[in-house]
Amino acid sequence: MAVARVVHAADRTLTGRQLASLLTPPPEGRFGYRELARAVREALLDGRVALRLRLPAERELATVLAVSRTTITGAYDLLRESGYAHSRRGAGTWTALPEGQAPTSLGAFHGDAGAALDLALAAPEAPAEELSAALAAASAELPRYAGSQGYHPYGLPALRAAVAERYTARGLPTLPEQILVTTGAQQALSLVLALLGRAGDRVLAENPSYTNALDAMRGRMLRITPVPVTETGWDTGLVDAALRQTAPRLAYLIPDFHNPTGHLMPPEQRRDIARAARATRTWLVVDETLTDIALDVPAPPPFAATAAAGDSEQIVSVGSLSKSCWGGLRVGWVRAASQVVTELARVRITADLSGSVLDQLVAVTLMERLDVILPKRVEELRLRRDALTTALARHLPEWRWTVPPGGMCLWIDLGRPGSSALAARALRHGVRVEGGARFGVDPGTHEHRLRIPYTLPEDVYEPAAERLAAALDGAPGLFSDPAVPDWVA
């Protein structure tokens, strides 16, 4: 099985076509030098263009954009003057950020949000009793590992076996050799993108999709082909057409309680998409981190288990304990063919060598207790979902949403665009929410949407809805801008 290698140093140079595909054109369709500089700045700040990349040569970019070389020279001059680029004699112009500036996708975590209610993070607290018991069991087991060097690039054998056993119990026979333990699902996805994709490759992604996954694709300079997830879910015909017309190297899907819409992909659509991906030799990267959060329906089997015989060879599954148990544990995994797992482990060594032995020992015990943990978590999230929908219906009756059968978020239709502006006003009223544009493949899309998780205690949602209503009405802010984290989970 042929597997792509890691991105080489030469990939740190942007071609003119790559940069053009990542920029938002002006309304008139043709770039002036100020519009071009603005577009590059915006692409840097939202993570579409990575830092420390060499920008295309002026003549090359002018040809691609069909503008004069003077336009490119003026734009590059503006970028250098404002701190968004720097030049080295004989080495070209490189992307940068002014001192004190940060991309929106990589904003610093500033600590406790204080009086602000944070409705941007879809991550519940840990099951305290089970976590304490698992930590005690792990502490008792740790001395057995203390005599070794402590490096396990593939993951602890006991944890690999536990993850494999759970896949097998859910209907997908799996060997421990098919599991790579990672530092959370985000690292798992990043490793897969690094192994299977090169800068400039096409990757199919749902629109909207999980913002951190989209940022990871942009950071690796992959060209994203969007396919819509609408009020009714996926259109298999559109997915099939996108696969056949663009033949992407990878396709990233969240079929289980899709983030942010909450949709669950039906089995027949899974089979159709797996068949179409095999026909175009596209790797399917399936994010199953929300699989266990089944609130109103049975938890679905693994995506690869629903594929027809022979269609699952290029399916790579990503999962974690972050939603099922606790994000602070930072334990995730990849399930793939054993050869792919071996290649991923080689890539992983360049990132962090190995995960924490203690965390993995805790995870082994939690995996054994999932049948106890999950029913409690599911019931808790049902109650919180009810509290959120009740509060929103009382204070914001004009908003619309479909109650999802699982997952952790409402995907709310405001009825008109303006969610980014509302999110900014809401922050001044002491509540943090994320506008729908953060989850869009293309800048400016989904401006009529908000994603609001229901992962906080039930009593949070009444005051949160009151503050959102005040922000929507344009009432004076109750809080100065709090120092809150500028990231999404």
Side-chain angles (χ1 to χ4, degrees):
M1 184 182 300
V3 178
R5 305 305 301 176
V6 186
V7 173
H8 298 287
D11 292 322
R12 301 303 292 174
T13 299
L14 274 170
T15 68
R17 291 190 181 279
Q18 287 172 346
L19 180 58
S21 70
L22 296 167
L23 301 181
T24 305
E28 59 272 19
R30 186 178 177 89
F31 284 107
Y33 76 99
R34 292 185 183 278
E35 289 79 12
L36 180 56
R38 172 199 52 76
V40 174
R41 284 197 302 269
E42 290 179 354
L44 273 167
L45 290 174
D46 71 12
R48 281 174 283 145
V49 171
L51 297 177
R52 294 174 292 280
L53 286 178
R54 184 165 58 189
L55 290 168
E58 293 178 2
R59 189 183 304 278
E60 176 194 359
L61 187 57
T63 300
V64 171
L65 296 179
V67 298
S68 70
R69 186 173 175 181
T70 303
T71 298
I72 307 301
T73 301
Y76 281 11
D77 285 345
L78 278 181
L79 290 170
R80 284 189 288 266
E81 290 170 8
S82 56
Y84 289 91
H86 66 86
S87 296
R88 295 190 299 226
R89 184 176 296 276
T93 301
W94 296 72
T95 59
L97 285 179
E99 185 175 352
Q101 183 63 273
T104 58
S105 58
L106 297 174
F109 181 82
H110 298 291
D112 189 354
L117 302 176
D118 197 335
L119 302 186
L121 302 181
E125 68 275 21
E129 183 179 341
E130 287 83 359
L131 181 62
S132 295
L135 181 58
S139 299
E141 187 72 7
L142 188 60
R144 199 163 67 83
Y145 292 84
S148 71
Q149 295 91 342
Y151 295 111
H152 299 271
Y154 288 89
L156 285 186
L159 183 53
R160 297 178 77 195
V163 175
E165 287 170 9
R166 184 157 180 82
Y167 272 107
T168 299
R170 294 175 53 227
L172 182 61
T174 302
L175 298 172
E177 292 76 17
Q178 294 177 271
I179 301 298
L180 176 77
V181 178
T182 61
T183 307
Q186 188 66 27
Q187 187 195 49
L189 175 61
S190 296
L191 292 175
V192 172
L193 295 177
L195 179 68
L196 300 180
R198 281 181 178 270
D201 282 349
R202 288 195 179 276
V203 55
L204 182 146
E206 298 148 328
N207 190 23
S209 187
Y210 180 46
T211 181
N212 293 327
L214 295 175
D215 285 341
M217 297 171 202
R218 293 167 183 140
R220 298 214 66 83
M221 304 306 302
L222 298 171
R223 293 183 296 164
I224 303 175
T225 297
V227 290
V229 179
T230 67
E231 288 285 353
T232 57
W234 295 260
D235 185 323
T236 309
L238 289 177
V239 176
D240 182 81
L243 287 169
R244 295 183 184 280
Q245 292 170 12
T246 65
R249 175 69 174 161
L250 301 152
Y252 172 75
L253 303 175
I254 312 173
D256 301 341
F257 314 120
H258 175 262
N259 186 359
T261 69
H263 290 309
L264 178 63
M265 185 182 289
E268 60 274 13
Q269 288 191 328
R270 298 173 187 237
R271 287 191 290 270
D272 291 344
I273 291 173
R275 186 181 305 114
R278 180 172 174 78
T280 57
R281 303 180 67 182
T282 299
W283 288 90
L284 280 181
V285 183
V286 182
D287 188 335
E288 299 180 334
T289 55
L290 289 163
T291 295
D292 290 331
I293 312 301
L295 305 185
D296 301 328
V297 295
F303 186 99
T306 63
D311 288 345
S312 62
E313 293 180 5
Q314 289 191 224
I315 296 178
V316 177
S317 303
V318 170
S320 83
L321 288 179
S322 294
K323 310 302 184 183
S324 307
C325 294
W326 186 40
L329 198 58
R330 307 313 308 140
V331 171
W333 54 80
V334 178
R335 187 227 179 249
S338 58
Q339 181 182 342
V340 176
V341 167
T342 299
E343 294 290 332
L344 285 168
R346 291 174 182 167
V347 178
R348 191 264 177 82
I349 288 171
T350 68
D352 67 352
L353 293 179
S354 175
S356 161
V357 171
L358 181 59
D359 284 5
Q360 291 181 71
L361 289 173
V362 171
V364 170
T365 299
L366 291 175
M367 291 288 294
E368 295 170 350
R369 296 279 294 167
L370 278 180
D371 290 342
V372 174
I373 295 170
L374 287 175
K376 297 178 182 177
R377 171 127 296 173
V378 165
E379 180 57 29
E380 177 182 74
L381 288 172
R382 283 196 197 105
L383 294 173
R384 294 177 178 187
R385 184 184 62 182
D386 291 346
L388 173 58
T389 56
T390 299
L392 291 178
R394 178 180 297 115
H395 296 283
L396 296 150
E398 67 275 23
W399 289 3
R400 295 289 179 264
W401 59 84
T402 299
V403 177
M408 296 184 167
C409 304
L410 293 184
W411 186 233
I412 294 171
D413 185 349
L414 305 182
R416 61 181 185 272
S419 62
S420 295
L422 173 60
R425 291 200 303 273
L427 193 58
R428 294 193 292 271
H429 286 76
V431 59
R432 179 180 174 238
V433 291
E434 280 297 340
R438 192 72 179 270
F439 304 89
V441 171
D442 300 309
T445 58
H446 308 293
E447 266 293 325
H448 62 300
R449 294 281 190 174
L450 282 179
R451 190 197 76 160
I452 301 185
Y454 38 83
T455 52
L456 295 176
E458 296 167 57
D459 59 4
V460 165
Y461 295 112
E462 184 70 20
E466 290 178 354
R467 295 180 188 184
L468 284 171
L472 188 67
D473 291 341
L478 306 176
F479 296 83
S480 60
D481 285 1
V484 296
D486 185 24
W487 52 283
V488 175

